[in-house]
Each structure stands twice: as structure tokens, then as C-alpha cells.
């Protein structure tokens, strides 16, 4: 399985544009040895030529510019992004779809709950209908394995995880299981497996068996402590959902 991390930062990226915390200012003025990071997204593939985009971050144009694998060769215009899977309806994971409008139609897999948010509070599916067919929705059901249009050796399973719905969602603070999923990805040709869980609030009995059997884990690591935002003075919310 081919895996490329396009971005690994939380919402806002690192350094965050409006932040002067010790980390963000330290990176800017060169006193902190760290690496700037764009917002979280990965691509996966079974052949290294066709790719499945997992979440579309606001930084996607910058990410594509640094990912030659995504430039489709031999065509005047095109993309090697063959399918898109969304793990939730967060701004950080969906806004990049707006920047991909020139390449519509795109094949987009997400749960009915995520699709409902993205056709109401943040109606990106509705808006992009006006761009050459827009986003073609394919409903995915948690815990039911599915495959997408490209990378036929890859089997995906969405696992419900404990987290919250976006601030704009009517389900904020009362999310349904379909509002946040992790992706368990198996290359059925060689049994290699990946668990991608960028929005994991905390592990529970549902996700634990999947965490234990995956060869590779890419897990939410936004904070070290639950009260970190409060302790550093940059926010009021705890890390846990
Ligand atoms: Zn900061």
C-alpha cells in the first residue's frame, strides 16, 4: 500500500496564522526547531498512480503543489485523485473540495450524516452542482466494507469513533455514530492494513480491536493533555469530546 501524508496539523495548521503562542512564534522567528505543517489529509494507493484522497483540507492547493504524484501525466488537464473519502464534515476536512472544483465531477464517499451537514449547514455538495456535475455522493455505511472507483485492491471500512459534530452542525454536542469515522484500509492483495483516525477524541471498545490489528496507525495527536488549550491560554475547550 502506498500512503502519503499531505498534512498532519490540526485546524489552522502550524504555525497558525493568527497565533503567537510559544510554538507558533518560535517557529516563525527561528528559535524553535520544528517543521511547519499543513492541515490533516492523506492519500492512499495500491499502484502508486491512482490515488484516494482521504479528507480535503483548506491547504489542498499547497499540498498538491508539493505532491507530484497527484499531477496526472499525459493529459492536458486531469488529476490522479480518483476518489475522495470524508471522515467527517469538519471545515478542516472538507473546505479543500471548493479548491478542487475545476476538476469536477469528483466521486465522494461519506456517511449520510456527513452528507446531510454538507448539504445544509455547509452546503458544499449543493454549491458545487454548478461545476460540471460537482460532487457525486456515494453513501458509506459504518462497519460495512466498501471499495471506490480506483485502487481496486483497497478495501475500506468506516469505524465510528467518539468525537463531536462540527460547530455549525445541528448535531453539535449530540453527534450520531456516522458523524465521525476512522478508516480501516486493507490492501486485499497483500493484507497490509492502515488505520486512519484524524478525528479520534478518545479510543473506545469499538475502535480498539481495529487499532490492535492495523499494521500502521495514523491517529489524531492534536494535544498532549486534555486541558492543553486552556493551560496555554489559546482556547477554552477540553480536548476530549
Ligand atoms: Zn500557536
Amino acid at each position: 500500500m502506498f500512503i502519503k501524508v499531505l498534512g498532519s496539523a490540526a485546524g489552522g495548521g502550524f504555525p497558525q496564522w493568527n497565533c503567537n503562542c510559544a510554538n507558533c512564534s518560535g517557529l516563525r522567528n527561528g528559535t524553535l526547531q520544528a517543521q511547519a505543517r499543513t492541515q490533516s489529509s492523506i492519500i492512499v494507493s495500491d499502484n502508486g498512480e491512482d490515488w484516494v484522497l482521504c479528507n480535503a483540507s483548506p491547504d489542498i492547493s499547497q499540498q498538491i503543489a508539493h505532491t507530484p504524484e497527484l499531477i496526472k501525466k499525459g493529459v492536458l488537464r486531469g488529476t490522479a485523485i480518483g476518489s475522495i473519502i470524508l471522515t467527517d464534515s469538519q471545515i478542516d476536512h472538507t473546505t479543500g473540495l471548493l479548491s478542487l472544483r475545476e476538476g469536477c465531477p469528483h466521486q465522494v464517499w461519506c456517511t449520510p450524516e456527513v452528507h446531510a451537514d454538507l448539504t445544509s449547514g455547509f452546503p458544499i455538495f449543493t454549491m458545487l452542482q454548478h461545476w460540471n456535475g460537482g460532487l457525486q455522493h456515494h453513501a458509506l455505511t459504518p462497519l460495512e466494507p466498501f471499495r471506490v472507483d480506483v485502487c481496486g485492491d483497497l478495501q475500506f471500512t468506516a469505524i465510528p469513533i467518539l468525537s463531536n459534530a462540527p460547530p455549525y452542525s445541528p448535531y453539535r454536542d449530540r453527534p450520531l455514530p456516522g458523524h465521525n469515522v476512522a478508516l480501516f484500509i486493507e490492501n486485499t492483495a497483500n493484507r497490509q492494513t492502515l488505520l486512519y483516525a484524524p478525528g479520534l477524541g478518545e479510543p473506545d471498545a469499538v475502535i480498539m480491536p481495529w487499532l490492535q490489528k492495523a499494521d500502521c496507525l495514523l491517529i489524531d495527536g492534536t494535544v498532549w493533555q486534555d486541558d492543553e488549550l486552556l493551560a496555554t491560554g489559546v482556547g477554552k475547550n477540553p480536548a476530549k469530546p
Side-chain angles (χ1 to χ4, degrees):
M1 190 186 317
F2 297 84
I3 306 165
K4 189 153 189 179
V5 177
L6 299 187
S8 58
F14 174 67
Q16 184 168 318
W17 65 278
N18 62 341
C19 188
N20 278 316
C21 77
N23 287 342
C24 292
S25 61
L27 183 73
R28 283 194 201 97
N29 64 28
T31 57
L32 180 74
Q33 291 297 312
Q35 188 179 353
R37 295 173 189 274
T38 57
Q39 293 165 85
S40 87
S41 174
I42 66 169
I43 50 173
V44 295
S45 174
D46 59 0
N47 60 16
E49 294 183 4
D50 304 297
W51 294 87
V52 180
L53 175 68
C54 302
N55 294 325
S57 94
D59 299 320
I60 194 155
S61 297
Q62 181 184 351
Q63 292 167 342
I64 290 174
H66 292 92
T67 309
E69 294 91 336
L70 293 180
I71 307 301
K72 194 169 183 74
K73 298 174 183 67
V75 297
L76 182 59
R77 286 197 171 173
T79 174
I81 299 172
S83 294
I84 301 169
I85 305 175
L86 305 176
T87 61
D88 53 58
S89 51
Q90 297 283 349
I91 296 274
D92 310 340
H93 285 155
T94 57
T95 311
L97 293 168
L98 291 170
S99 299
L100 300 180
R101 64 193 178 281
E102 295 86 357
C104 286
H106 293 292
Q107 308 303 314
V108 180
W109 274 257
C110 63
T111 64
E113 289 82 358
V114 168
H115 185 253
D117 276 345
L118 298 178
T119 49
S120 55
F122 181 32
I124 198 165
F125 273 91
T126 314
M127 291 164 60
L128 288 178
Q129 284 174 0
H130 302 279
W131 275 265
N132 194 32
L135 307 175
Q136 305 292 309
H137 176 230
H138 303 263
L140 64 83
T141 305
L143 301 177
E144 281 187 13
F146 65 98
R147 294 178 196 252
V148 300
D149 284 10
V150 294
C151 301
D153 284 341
L154 298 186
Q155 177 178 276
F156 299 84
T157 307
I159 320 294
I161 55 174
L162 290 179
S163 196
N164 206 342
Y168 71 81
S169 171
Y171 288 90
R172 181 70 168 177
D173 296 329
R174 53 185 189 99
L176 302 172
H179 276 113
N180 295 278
V181 298
L183 291 176
F184 185 83
I185 308 170
E186 177 174 1
N187 185 332
T188 52
N190 59 18
R191 300 294 164 193
Q192 291 176 335
T193 55
L194 162 70
L195 186 93
Y196 179 52
L200 184 64
E202 58 182 313
D204 64 358
V206 175
I207 194 73
M208 280 309 290
W210 300 90
L211 289 171
Q212 286 161 346
K213 72 177 179 180
D215 297 322
C216 175
L217 300 177
L218 294 174
I219 300 285
D220 188 311
T222 303
V223 295
W224 297 102
Q225 278 91 30
D226 188 42
D227 66 346
E228 193 169 309
L229 294 179
L230 196 63
T232 53
V234 297
K236 296 173 184 163
N237 294 328
K240 290 181 181 176

